[in-house]
Amino acid sequence: MVQEGDTVLPIPDATIPAIPESIIGTDNRSIVSNTTLFPYRTSCLLVITFPDGISYGSGNLISSDTVLTAGHCVYDTRYGGWATRIEVYAGRNGSYSPFGKANSKSFYTLDRWINLTSKEYDYREYDIGYIKLDQKLGKTTGWLGLTTTLSNDISLTGFPAPRDRGYKMYSQKGKLKNSAANKIYYDLDTEGGQSGSSVYNTGNQVIGVHAYAHGTVNSGTRMNLQNFEIAKKIADTAILSYRSHVQNIGWQGWVNDTGISGTTGQSKRLEAINLSLSDSSYSGNIEYRAHVQNIGWQGWQKNGAMAGTTGQSNRLEALEIKLTGELAKIYNVRYRSHVQGIGWQAWKSNGQMTGTTGQSLRLEAIQIQLVKK
């Protein structure tokens, strides 16, 4: 891994990357009308100043102050090498920037992306980059999770041809078509400007970063184990995932920080919940316990174990969540619940109770977030 200012080798003209734009048949992308909704608000328009000109790209927040993007959005020899400045607009919607502007503080990419003269590998398989911000924008927007597990159902959200498209956000769902050790291939439509957009699963976890077009298929850099470990180190964040068992639905998919698990407006009870922090680089656990209809407070569970019940039609009525070990010294855990007849309660933290006891009210949805101290 290298960072801004390191000595790099020049790139010969013959190895200039393919342009990252390809509409595969009919253009199936849609404009995102409300860019303040999760996960769309994690998607960022990048205005990139290079030594030899201005370029545009996309990225996604993966921590409170880290944006995941393509390597050629931070280092591109066509524009003189390293970017000198990147302006970041999360949730941009035309001329409106609902979360304001953040600026880059530093950039990172891989040695194998900038060492482009090597004949030992295809440098385009390492086209991934990171931007550290001058503010913790993700505390407001939340961020996407990361996973090394591939998924068939995927989405891609970004900003195609920003000036021509009026700085509008576009999104599309599609299918993973193929994969290799360092690459993923998919049928999602893209245009220039969407380089750096995260390819993510239904649990809002990134499996790759869009970078190239191939006519009948588009491709990105895979979030393999190496890239996963580098991303965790740069982001310096623990990755929290959670899911709930919902009345008449069963287990929903995993969501990440600030994602909603459960339902609202459907009068469905939460029956059980799993929380997972298995990818944390710090010692300690996330622990949680549930107050369950006809049972009361259950014992404390941790790291993926189930709290609540399934197959008994018992509602969850309250939850308590806490951190232990190094995690508790570095993070606060915040959470809130949507309660029958009440709606969203205020945020609670670090072992406080969310929900109610003694009132026979069901929990209907939950949001959980790790916030660095």
Side-chain angles (χ1 to χ4, degrees), residues 322-351:
K322 64 182 181 181
L323 301 171
T324 63
E326 288 181 342
L327 286 167
K329 298 177 182 178
I330 297 170
Y331 291 95
N332 292 312
V333 58
R334 299 174 67 240
Y335 42 94
R336 65 172 183 163
S337 57
H338 192 280
V339 180
Q340 173 189 356
I342 296 175
W344 285 110
Q345 292 184 318
W347 288 92
K348 303 294 184 180
S349 63
N350 301 333

Side-chain angles (χ1 to χ4, degrees), residues 7-22:
T7 301
V8 298
L9 299 173
I11 174 174
D13 291 341
T15 56
I16 291 177
I19 56 174
E21 48 189 276
S22 182

Side-chain angles (χ1 to χ4, degrees), residues 35-237:
T35 62
T36 65
L37 297 177
F38 189 87
Y40 303 119
R41 62 177 178 251
T42 72
S43 185
C44 301
L45 168 66
L46 309 180
V47 181
I48 310 163
T49 301
F50 285 105
D52 297 338
I54 302 293
S55 185
Y56 296 88
S58 299
N60 284 83
L61 284 151
I62 58 167
S63 80
S64 63
D65 64 351
T66 309
V67 173
L68 177 67
T69 187
H72 67 266
C73 288
V74 299
Y75 179 85
D76 193 331
T77 56
R78 294 173 298 177
Y79 296 101
W82 285 104
T84 58
R85 183 182 69 199
I86 301 178
E87 299 171 17
V88 177
Y89 300 88
R92 181 73 176 249
N93 193 351
S95 60
Y96 177 48
S97 300
F99 305 103
K101 179 184 76 172
N103 292 306
S104 59
K105 188 169 64 173
S106 59
F107 324 120
Y108 301 85
T109 188
L110 302 180
D111 292 292
R112 289 197 167 195
W113 168 245
I114 64 170
N115 293 334
L116 303 177
T117 59
S118 173
K119 299 185 182 302
E120 297 178 2
Y121 56 86
D122 183 349
Y123 66 93
R124 288 172 294 187
E125 295 185 359
Y126 303 92
D127 193 348
I128 190 169
Y130 308 87
I131 306 166
K132 295 297 285 188
L133 304 179
D134 63 352
Q135 58 182 275
K136 295 187 181 299
L137 184 60
K139 283 191 173 183
T140 302
T141 63
W143 54 83
L144 297 182
L146 304 172
T147 183
T148 59
T149 302
L150 297 179
S151 304
N152 186 44
D153 295 312
I154 54 175
S155 297
L156 189 154
T157 303
F159 296 87
R163 289 174 293 184
D164 299 336
R165 295 279 183 172
Y167 304 97
K168 288 287 189 178
M169 183 188 296
Y170 284 67
S171 187
Q172 183 186 351
K173 299 180 187 300
K175 300 291 185 181
L176 187 69
K177 292 299 184 181
N178 205 346
S179 65
N182 301 314
K183 296 280 287 185
I184 55 172
Y185 301 88
Y186 36 84
D187 62 358
L188 300 169
D189 299 312
T190 63
E191 288 181 280
Q194 288 186 266
S195 286
S197 301
S198 289
V199 181
Y200 56 95
N201 62 23
T202 56
N204 300 319
Q205 296 171 309
V206 178
I207 68 167
V209 178
H210 173 64
Y212 297 105
H214 304 276
T216 58
V217 69
N218 290 324
S219 72
T221 308
R222 180 174 175 176
M223 185 55 64
N224 55 25
L225 182 59
Q226 178 190 34
N227 289 332
F228 180 85
E229 293 299 331
I230 292 171
K232 282 202 304 177
K233 181 178 180 180
I234 294 174
D236 190 25
T237 186

Side-chain angles (χ1 to χ4, degrees), residues 289-292 295-299 318-320 353-354 356-357:
R289 66 172 184 164
H291 192 278
V292 181
I295 296 175
W297 284 110
Q298 294 180 317
L319 290 169
E320 293 177 346
M353 186 186 79
T354 183
T356 64
T357 59

